[in-house]
Amino acid sequence: GLGEPLNDPNFFDVISILRKSKINVSLFSNGLYINDESIDFLYRNSVNLIIKCDTFSNNTFNKILGGKNAQKYKLAEKVYTTITRLIDYGYSESPRSPNLALSIVPTKFNISDISSVVDFSIENNLFPLIGELECAGKAKRLFSEICPTNRQLCELYELLKNALGKEYNIPICPAAVAGMHVNNVGNVIVHKGT
């Protein structure tokens, strides 16, 4: 990833400015730094959230999140707690409430666990956002070891189609629709055509 947005010291000010300008906001987060105060702020400002949740297996998710340190600090459990708190607060409760999606990136480690995340998403009116493993960053050197096979991905597609009752299409990145992206160092990149 490119860093956690909530770690930016200007995060709350930026969101406030965007919302005062009537700009809709969708935010990717690892979920580790979301507390009661930020949940209230995000909800009141109608910020749609996409939380990384690759599996509900603590051991597998901690391995994906960073191995021994993730296990030591119980990072998977913190993410699960955050998701529960967001649901309890009212995320995705009605068409008027902010949306909550779970970002799931299939790997050989979690491919067999994804159905439980999809089922949980459907039961709680969340969107199961299945991403694609990118051959970049830390994954680049391990890509061939962790990338699911084409057969596994086709089986996952069928599972999604059956669970959702329709064809599954990976949503377009909000930055592509809005024409604007704030990168990990706070620079705003605006597409020429915007």
Side-chain angles (χ1 to χ4, degrees):
L2 297 173
E4 173 58 34
L6 278 92
N7 283 345
D8 186 317
N10 299 312
F11 173 79
F12 294 100
D13 292 335
V14 170
I15 297 297
S16 294
I17 291 167
L18 292 170
R19 292 305 295 148
K20 284 178 186 167
S21 301
K22 298 190 184 334
I23 296 173
N24 293 329
V25 179
S26 294
L27 176 77
F28 279 87
S29 173
N30 61 24
L32 296 173
Y33 302 98
I34 297 177
N35 57 32
D36 290 339
E37 181 183 333
S38 57
I39 289 173
D40 182 64
F41 175 83
L42 294 165
Y43 190 91
R44 281 187 293 104
N45 284 280
S46 299
V47 175
N48 300 302
L49 295 174
I50 304 112
I51 305 292
K52 179 176 182 59
C53 184
D54 295 319
T55 175
F56 284 129
S57 163
N58 286 352
N59 290 337
T60 303
F61 200 22
N62 279 324
K63 184 175 184 176
I64 291 169
L65 290 171
K68 291 179 183 176
N69 280 336
Q71 190 77 25
K72 178 180 175 182
Y73 296 108
K74 300 182 179 186
L75 299 185
E77 292 90 335
K78 289 180 181 180
V79 173
Y80 305 147
T81 299
T82 296
I83 292 166
T84 300
R85 288 169 49 219
L86 289 164
I87 292 168
D88 290 347
Y89 201 87
Y91 263 84
S92 293
E93 187 173 73
S94 73
R96 298 182 72 104
S97 61
N99 294 311
L100 178 58
L102 300 184
S103 174
I104 310 157
V105 176
T107 67
K108 285 183 181 176
F109 302 130
N110 70 329
I111 193 86
S112 62
D113 302 333
I114 291 175
S115 62
S116 65
V117 180
V118 170
D119 291 343
F120 176 86
S121 297
I122 293 168
E123 289 166 13
N124 290 282
N125 201 33
L126 313 180
F127 184 78
L129 177 69
I130 309 294
E132 183 179 348
L133 181 64
E134 296 180 20
C135 188
K138 291 178 186 176
K140 189 172 187 175
R141 65 182 168 79
L142 303 169
F143 192 77
S144 62
E145 296 171 41
I146 64 176
C147 186
T149 65
N150 284 340
R151 181 176 180 197
Q152 289 173 311
L153 292 172
C154 287
E155 289 169 357
L156 175 62
Y157 175 79
E158 285 302 315
L159 176 138
L160 287 167
K161 186 170 127 181
N162 292 332
L164 297 171
K166 60 183 177 184
E167 297 287 322
Y168 181 84
N169 294 309
I170 295 175
I172 297 171
C173 175
V177 175
M180 180 182 84
H181 174 73
V182 181
N183 71 11
N184 62 318
V185 292
N187 297 320
V188 177
I189 301 148
V190 179
H191 186 274
K192 291 186 262 183
T194 304

